[in-house]
Amino acid sequence: MLEVSDLGVGNGIELNIILNYLLANNKEISTFKCSLIDFSYHMLRVAVNSLEEYNFENEKYIKNVRVLAINSDFRDLHLCSSLLTSNTGCRFFTFLGGTLGNFLEREVLTPIRKEMTDKDLFLLGVDLIGERSKEELVSSYDSIYNRKFLFNPLQDLGITIEDCNFRCYIDDKISEIRNSKTIVSSFTQDREIQMAFSTKYELESFKIYLKENYGFQTIKKIINDFGDYAILLLKK
């Protein structure tokens, strides 16, 4: 049995792709245990329904996949450690999308590293700088959609969007990884309110950081055609 733990599962699309591939191509593993971890109860329900309804290997999925939904923040992984205990000695952790860049790296990587054993594997998605300039990185976030989305919490405080100046800029001091670029989105009304940030990485510097700070070895890497996203298969 293969035990997969998807951290911050969201709508489950990435996990569904992985399960489709494993169910269609793996002849050695007959059963899968999938632990879905997300702090949003709503998104957990979406993910469970997505896995059930849109799996291309539906008959195999019903017969061979067991799903455990855990309503928890992945940064508190130690609190649900007993639910993730492996009976087979090997677990497969996944943290996909570009979510890593929305946190300080140690907030995400430290709890995962502590939970893993030498037999476990870790599949990590990373947003890359690629060939994009600073101006191109900033412009991808400086949009009407992003402005309206990020303003919602401030609206609940009685602040009107017309009274705020919205801007995006690069801050090189947020990430501790060399050659990374962090795009900050903020509103200003009397003072600056930073609402979100997203860090993009230079791949080789990122791999060195993983090795030197967490002992992660990169077993395999896959980079998309645009050069702005990579998936790394890691081991302690």
Side-chain angles (χ1 to χ4, degrees), residues 161-186:
I161 197 167
E162 291 78 15
D163 295 332
C164 294
N165 294 319
F166 176 70
R167 72 184 186 110
C168 298
Y169 58 92
I170 298 287
D171 187 335
D172 291 327
K173 298 179 181 179
I174 292 179
S175 174
E176 58 187 16
I177 301 179
R178 289 181 57 205
N179 301 318
S180 62
K181 302 295 179 187
T182 301
I183 305 98
V184 176
S185 300
S186 72

Side-chain angles (χ1 to χ4, degrees), residues 55-236:
N55 200 289
F56 298 141
E57 299 291 334
N58 192 258
E59 185 175 338
K60 291 182 180 179
Y61 174 83
I62 294 172
K63 182 179 179 181
N64 298 314
V65 178
R66 291 165 38 213
V67 174
L68 173 65
I70 303 174
N71 190 192
S72 176
D73 193 318
F74 55 78
R75 290 172 292 183
D76 296 325
L77 204 55
H78 63 285
L79 298 179
C80 48
S81 180
S82 62
L83 300 174
L84 305 178
T85 302
S86 172
N87 295 322
T88 61
C90 177
R91 294 171 298 176
F92 188 41
F93 292 89
T94 63
F95 192 72
L96 300 172
T99 311
L100 176 68
N102 302 128
F103 295 87
L104 298 177
E105 293 84 11
R106 59 181 176 274
E107 290 183 326
V108 176
L109 299 173
T110 298
I112 296 174
R113 174 66 172 76
K114 287 182 177 179
E115 182 64 28
M116 289 179 63
T117 70
D118 293 340
K119 297 180 180 180
D120 296 334
L121 296 173
F122 179 24
L123 195 65
L124 176 62
V126 186
D127 277 340
L128 303 177
I129 298 171
E131 299 298 322
R132 293 176 291 179
S133 66
K134 286 186 177 182
E135 292 74 21
E136 288 172 322
L137 290 171
V138 169
S139 66
S140 64
Y141 286 85
D142 192 3
S143 65
I144 295 176
Y145 170 81
N146 195 37
R147 178 183 180 184
K148 290 182 176 179
F149 174 76
L150 293 175
F151 186 76
N152 284 330
L154 298 181
Q155 192 170 19
D156 293 337
L157 298 175
I159 301 173
T160 59
I161 197 167
E162 291 78 15
D163 295 332
C164 294
N165 294 319
F166 176 70
R167 72 184 186 110
C168 298
Y169 58 92
I170 298 287
D171 187 335
D172 291 327
K173 298 179 181 179
I174 292 179
S175 174
E176 58 187 16
I177 301 179
R178 289 181 57 205
N179 301 318
S180 62
K181 302 295 179 187
T182 301
I183 305 98
V184 176
S185 300
S186 72
F187 290 94
T188 302
Q189 188 191 50
D190 299 327
R191 62 186 179 87
E192 182 185 23
I193 305 172
Q194 293 186 352
M195 297 300 296
F197 66 82
S198 181
T199 302
K200 314 302 179 187
Y201 302 96
E202 192 277 317
L203 184 56
E204 293 307 313
S205 296
F206 184 74
K207 287 167 57 180
I208 291 172
Y209 171 82
L210 291 176
K211 177 66 175 176
E212 291 182 348
N213 291 272
Y214 298 94
F216 282 131
Q217 305 174 48
T218 303
I219 300 173
K220 189 177 180 64
K221 65 179 179 183
I222 300 174
I223 304 174
N224 69 1
D225 293 338
F226 301 103
D228 60 6
Y229 184 74
I231 294 178
L232 305 180
L233 182 62
L234 308 171
K235 187 176 183 181
K236 282 176 66 174

